[in-house]
Amino acid sequence: MKIVCIGGGPSGLYFALLMKQQDPAHDIVVVERNRPYDTFGWGVVFSDQTLGNLQAADPTSAAQILDAFNHWDDIEVNIRGHRVRSGGHGFCGIGRKRLLNILQRRCEDLGVRLQFETDVQDDAQYADADLIIASDGLNSRIRAKHAETYRPDIDLRDCRFVWLGTHKLFEAFTFAFEETEWGWFQAHAYRFDDETSTFIVETPERVWRAAGLETMEKEDAIAFCEKLFAKYLDGHQLMSNASHLRGSAQWIRFPRVVCQSWVHHNGRAPVVLMGDAAHTAHFSIGSGTKLALEDAIELARCIGNAGGGPDSLPAALGAYEASRSVEVLKIQNAARNSTEWFEHVDRYVNLPPEQFAYSLLTRSQRISHENLRLRDQVYVEEYEDWIAAHAGVQRSPQQHSIPPMLTPFTLRGVTLKNRVVVSPMAQYSCVDGMPADYHLVHLGARAMGGAGMVVAEMTCPSPDARITPGCPGLWNVAQRDGWKRIVDFVHRNTDAKIAMQLGHAGAKGSTRVPWEGEDQPLESANWPLVSASPQQYLDGISDWSRAMTRADMDRVRDDFVRSTRYAAEAGFDWLELHCAHGYLLSSFISPLTNRRTDDYGGSLANRLRYPLEIFHAMREAWPQHLPISVRISAHDWVDGGITPDDAVEIARAFKAAGADLIDCSSGQVSKQQQPVYGRMYQTPFADRIRNEAGIPTIAVGAISEADHVNSIIAAGRADLCAVARPHLANPAWTLLESAKIGYTDVAWPKQYRSAKQQLERNLERERAAAAQGAGLSALEQANRALGV
């Protein structure tokens, strides 16, 4: 085949040499606009796993690259005069110029033609090519020309950064954070050869402008950075090698590139995006060059597997795009999390330095608590001791360090034994709102299963507040006594706490139980519906609600107060007000469902007026030594609805009203919602609210392992984690997960202790067998767990 690679960066060069190695008969040229052996930039970073991929693909160039690498295991975080180190991370740095030189020489040795100082404007000039690789970088002209096919989405991120170098040799990958009168700056620094380190300075756009860097000459801006980070440079200067850039042009906003398609056929040959032309991943996770090289490896593999000739290209390119788009998306999701962490670093700088460092290490959500333990067990155990001490407990010398999820948590006069909460999960199993044997078994079993607190499902303050006829209520003395029976069981037989969640269905009421038709209206005996504004939850199907009058508001408020008093008389430890998921109070908060023109509509402050009125009345009726939380939908997932920015303001309003904690859910306000699901996908809402509004939070949603809970709590992203479906599958989820991570100092119900010992023995045997079978080092296990 005749192959043209437009762009002589890592992906184009590596693909060329791999294809020439695969079949020396291929006629391959790499066309590069720069001069021979010339490049810009400083060092690039690889993980040990990436090196393994290179060794498998081309041992010759891999050996040269490995010989040129500077390896380090430690990450060092510096903030407010504190330094925190963690080891075992296994990364390598190499100069970008050195890397390209190695790949250029390897291409020449194999017979690839390198054509320099040729600025390609159009792929059409290669009419005789069988395959064209558009590896022309971030600002790809080829991608721009065929944008209708590739459909690129380019998102300029908020921070400005400048890529500098220094002769100060950093022995660890070093993060440094410095506060100025304009805001926070951060540096990312690492050594990449015997003489030089990369030194990237980054700050949000607003801080960059406020500091005057927008108008500074390049030399003045570098001097500014030298002065700001002087204590890390030890007298060494910062250097730029971008002589072609003047003034503020050296400060870049990172463009995140996502392409819907990677292959265009120009009528003569397929034109395939590769590397930065196809995708970008923020430098803070060090994966841009990794992705570029792995693109090349995968495309060469796909072509070889398909037969290696022009006729096999359609199948090969389809396989390439299908495989790489999935892998790249995983990295880009992690990069997005990391990018946002640095963009909003002022959200975290007031965390204790120990927790700030842990938050940084786990910012992408790809490195978890147990993954960190594999990398640096001593660091993790010392940090667990720090978390436990701040929670008021210390381990004895005979004990293991206490996992963060098993540390206590106190609000007002209530202390939960650990950070795991059984979510309120609708069971639709009451008659006339009466909790009976089913709820005794359901909630009692989960209270015995090790969680710190169980939360009863949304319970309604009046018959017409129910979602379905099967929903529980708390509007009469009989129901109060039914709940008291359950509360007394939990208190007598477990050390868990139990919470009552009160809510009103609003426009989502008067429907069948889910197994008879979810969200479908009752066939008969419907009750009238009220909400903030007239609403039909399912267009053309649901009954219409009417807008609440002031008289309706007074009645419903009084109903909530009555239920609050009954909850206190029943002995509940905790109360939660449901203001989420499109139910009555949520319908006031969301602009999607509140179209009122009176004092209860319009601005967010007005839309919050009635929910806050309910909350104030409940807080006054609820014992002062017991906490009240509020569940909110922190994101409607619909344009024009509640956003995470709004959620922070909602949390601040409830905090000012006396709320003790915000339970951070999302969605279910509109059937037009488009959530972005994934592991722990709602945790960022709890993170923002906790660290911006300054109020404790519960994280919910796709939290299914002890590792998730430990990571969230340890990073200060939430104070509690609510686990729903895993608790439906296993009432003893907390006990099982504790055993899975090898922590045995957990109290089981005395009736179940024999099962505890057997479970722990079986799990220990499984861990030993898995470790022996795999024969992996701790770092290899960690990287395999990450898929890197």
Side-chain angles (χ1 to χ4, degrees):
M1 280 196 299
K2 183 174 179 60
I3 300 171
V4 177
C5 297
I6 301 173
S11 60
L13 290 168
Y14 204 60
F15 177 72
L17 72 86
L18 291 179
M19 289 303 296
K20 196 69 172 175
Q21 181 178 254
Q22 189 177 108
D23 185 350
H26 288 317
D27 179 5
I28 306 174
V29 60
V30 177
V31 186
E32 168 58 38
R33 65 180 177 177
N34 292 318
R35 296 172 299 175
Y37 303 108
D38 192 8
T39 187
F40 302 101
W42 297 95
V44 295
V45 178
F46 293 153
S47 70
D48 286 350
Q49 183 67 26
T50 303
L51 285 180
N53 294 338
L54 298 183
Q55 288 173 320
D58 180 35
T60 301
S61 60
Q64 297 173 46
I65 293 169
L66 185 61
D67 186 58
F69 265 130
N70 278 268
H71 186 276
W72 70 88
D73 283 320
D74 287 358
I75 292 177
E76 180 179 293
V77 182
N78 297 270
I79 184 167
R80 298 191 189 279
H82 293 265
R83 177 182 300 169
V84 179
R85 270 210 182 199
S86 167
H89 298 280
F91 283 94
C92 302
I94 185 174
R96 176 176 170 82
K97 183 172 182 177
R98 182 75 181 275
L99 172 66
L100 291 182
N101 290 170
I102 289 170
L103 298 181
Q104 288 163 354
R105 283 193 294 270
R106 178 67 172 145
C107 282
E108 290 172 332
D109 290 346
L110 289 170
V112 174
R113 290 180 290 122
L114 302 181
Q115 186 175 323
F116 293 99
E117 298 184 78
T118 304
D119 194 3
V120 178
Q121 303 285 335
D122 192 341
D123 57 279
Q125 65 191 77
Y126 298 101
D128 59 343
D130 296 303
L131 173 64
I132 299 173
I133 302 299
S135 51
D136 53 340
L138 179 63
N139 299 309
S140 169
R141 288 174 175 154
I142 307 303
R143 184 187 66 217
K145 180 188 175 187
H146 303 301
E148 204 169 291
T149 299
Y150 298 129
R151 288 170 290 159
D153 176 11
I154 301 175
D155 176 24
L156 280 178
R157 301 305 307 182
D158 181 56
C159 280
R160 290 274 182 171
F161 69 95
V162 60
W163 202 289
L164 303 171
T166 178
H167 291 308
K168 162 66 189 288
L169 299 180
F170 292 89
E171 298 304 324
F173 196 118
T174 299
F175 294 99
F177 298 84
E178 290 295 320
E179 187 176 18
T180 70
E181 60 186 288
W182 310 285
W184 285 84
F185 286 75
Q186 56 248 8
H188 313 233
Y190 55 90
R191 175 179 177 176
F192 65 84
D193 64 24
D194 292 338
E195 299 178 348
T196 325
S197 297
T198 295
F199 200 93
I200 303 170
V201 179
E202 182 184 28
T203 191
E205 171 95 0
R206 67 186 184 280
V207 178
W208 179 76
R209 291 184 184 278
L213 288 160
E214 181 182 16
T215 59
M216 282 188 197
E217 290 299 324
K218 179 165 64 175
E219 293 74 16
D220 294 332
I222 291 173
F224 175 95
C225 294
E226 284 177 355
K227 182 178 179 181
L228 182 58
F229 293 101
K231 62 186 175 185
Y232 309 101
L233 292 169
D234 296 334
H236 293 279
Q237 293 181 325
L238 292 175
M239 306 175 290
S240 171
N241 65 0
S243 57
H244 60 301
L245 298 177
R246 305 303 305 167
S248 64
Q250 67 177 335
W251 290 89
I252 307 165
R253 286 177 64 192
F254 186 84
R256 189 237 41 202
V257 176
V258 178
C259 290
Q260 296 300 308
S261 176
W262 294 13
V263 180
H264 168 78
H265 204 287
N266 67 10
R268 298 171 301 279
V271 184
V272 184
L273 297 180
M274 189 177 286
D276 282 352
H279 48 70
T280 59
H282 193 257
F283 59 83
S284 62
I285 66 167
S287 292
T289 305
K290 160 194 161 66
L291 289 175
L293 295 172
E294 290 177 352
D295 284 352
I297 292 170
E298 181 63 13
L299 181 53
R301 186 190 69 82
C302 289
I303 291 173
N305 288 347
D311 294 341
S312 64
L313 282 178
L317 297 179
Y320 163 71
E321 183 172 342
S323 170
R324 289 303 294 158
S325 61
V326 171
E327 291 305 310
V328 166
L329 181 61
K330 293 177 184 177
I331 296 291
Q332 286 186 317
N333 285 341
R336 182 195 64 235
N337 294 336
S338 179
T339 305
E340 291 178 353
W341 193 94
F342 283 106
E343 287 175 342
H344 301 286
V345 73
D346 55 351
R347 185 184 299 163
Y348 305 107
V349 291
N350 291 321
L351 291 172
E354 295 84 354
Q355 193 163 51
F356 176 87
Y358 182 97
S359 177
L360 185 153
L361 292 171
T362 58
R363 67 194 180 278
S364 71
Q365 295 188 44
R366 284 173 63 82
I367 296 178
S368 68
H369 193 72
E370 291 307 312
N371 189 269
L372 271 182
R373 192 189 305 277
L374 286 171
R375 293 163 183 255
D376 191 342
Q377 183 173 350
V378 171
Y379 163 76
V380 169
E381 290 184 355
E382 289 178 350
Y383 183 63
E384 286 178 334
D385 287 342
W386 182 89
I387 290 277
H390 279 70
V393 292
Q394 289 186 320
R395 60 166 163 159
S396 68
Q398 294 77 33
Q399 286 180 310
H400 293 291
S401 56
I402 304 169
M405 82 172 204
L406 297 176
T407 58
F409 177 71
T410 299
L411 271 184
R412 295 198 184 231
V414 174
T415 297
L416 308 185
K417 65 179 178 180
N418 61 48
R419 306 302 184 98
V420 180
V421 173
V422 177
S423 287
M425 294 174 284
Q427 301 296 291
Y428 309 106
S429 298
C430 289
V431 177
D432 295 328
M434 184 69 184
D437 290 350
Y438 177 86
H439 284 82
L440 174 67
V441 173
H442 170 67
L443 293 169
R446 282 147 188 85
M448 294 182 71
M453 182 167 71
V454 296
V455 186
E457 67 198 86
M458 188 178 92
T459 300
C460 305
S462 61
D464 62 349
R466 292 175 295 169
I467 309 167
T468 75
C471 291
L474 191 48
W475 63 77
N476 61 40
V477 171
Q479 292 163 348
R480 177 202 67 188
D481 293 344
W483 283 116
K484 187 176 188 305
R485 175 177 175 238
I486 295 167
V487 171
D488 288 348
F489 176 88
V490 170
H491 288 163
R492 278 197 309 267
N493 293 280
T494 80
D495 53 3
K497 304 299 182 184
I498 182 167
M500 165 57 64
Q501 185 190 73
L502 293 176
H504 189 300
K508 296 175 75 171
S510 193
T511 63
R512 306 174 205 177
V513 295
W515 43 87
E516 293 177 1
E518 187 169 8
D519 292 329
Q520 300 298 307
L522 294 172
E523 294 179 351
S524 62
N526 288 279
W527 53 84
L529 304 177
V530 294
S531 56
S533 301
Q535 181 187 347
Q536 189 179 34
Y537 181 62
L538 297 181
D539 291 341
I541 297 174
S542 300
D543 291 341
W544 277 91
S545 63
R546 63 174 175 83
M548 291 185 83
T549 65
R550 184 62 251 185
D552 293 326
M553 293 182 190
D554 292 343
R555 176 180 62 82
V556 170
R557 179 200 60 212
D558 294 344
D559 289 343
F560 270 101
V561 170
R562 178 184 59 205
S563 295
T564 297
R565 292 193 174 113
Y566 280 151
E569 292 169 9
F572 282 97
D573 304 295
W574 187 299
L575 187 65
E576 180 161 285
L577 176 62
H578 202 322
C579 294
H581 300 165
Y583 296 128
L584 177 65
L585 299 183
S586 171
S587 79
F588 274 85
I589 297 172
S590 175
L592 299 175
T593 49
N594 185 338
R595 295 176 294 280
R596 299 176 74 103
T597 57
D598 60 5
D599 290 344
Y600 300 94
S603 68
L604 179 58
N606 279 0
R607 301 197 309 270
L608 279 166
R609 191 184 302 271
Y610 184 58
L612 288 170
E613 180 181 324
I614 297 284
F615 180 84
H616 277 295
M618 291 171 60
R619 180 70 268 182
E620 188 173 340
W622 183 246
Q624 288 301 301
H625 69 285
L626 299 179
I628 303 184
S629 56
V630 179
R631 171 166 278 208
I632 67 170
S633 284
H635 198 328
D636 284 346
W637 303 105
V638 178
D639 287 344
I642 290 296
T643 67
D645 287 341
D646 296 324
V648 174
E649 296 308 311
I650 293 166
R652 286 178 173 141
F654 277 109
K655 177 186 176 184
D660 299 293
L661 177 145
I662 303 297
D663 187 352
C664 304
S665 189
S666 70
Q668 301 182 50
V669 172
S670 167
K671 284 296 185 181
Q672 279 68 55
Q673 67 179 16
Q674 293 184 310
V676 180
Y677 294 112
R679 182 169 52 103
M680 302 181 286
Y681 74 104
Q682 295 181 125
T683 299
F685 309 139
D687 184 348
R688 280 202 64 181
I689 289 170
R690 181 184 192 271
N691 291 304
E692 289 187 31
I695 184 171
T697 58
I698 299 179
V700 307
I703 299 169
S704 59
E705 302 173 11
D707 199 18
H708 297 165
V709 180
N710 283 324
S711 300
I712 291 167
I713 302 303
R717 307 186 78 198
D719 300 272
L720 300 171
C721 289
V723 179
R725 291 172 186 169
H727 271 130
L728 285 181
N730 182 359
W733 181 87
T734 306
L735 300 179
L736 176 62
E737 288 297 306
S738 299
K740 280 183 178 178
I741 61 174
Y743 189 76
T744 60
D745 296 318
V746 176
W748 281 46
K750 57 182 178 290
Q751 298 91 338
Y752 299 166
R753 286 175 188 164
S754 60
K756 176 181 187 291
Q757 295 166 0
Q758 184 180 48
L759 173 67
E760 290 167 355
R761 286 195 299 268
N762 289 344
L763 289 171
E764 181 56 39
R765 282 196 291 268
E766 288 176 14
R767 283 191 291 269
Q772 183 177 9
L776 300 175
S777 70
L779 177 59
E780 289 170 327
Q781 293 177 56
N783 282 331
R784 177 165 292 187
L786 288 176
V788 298

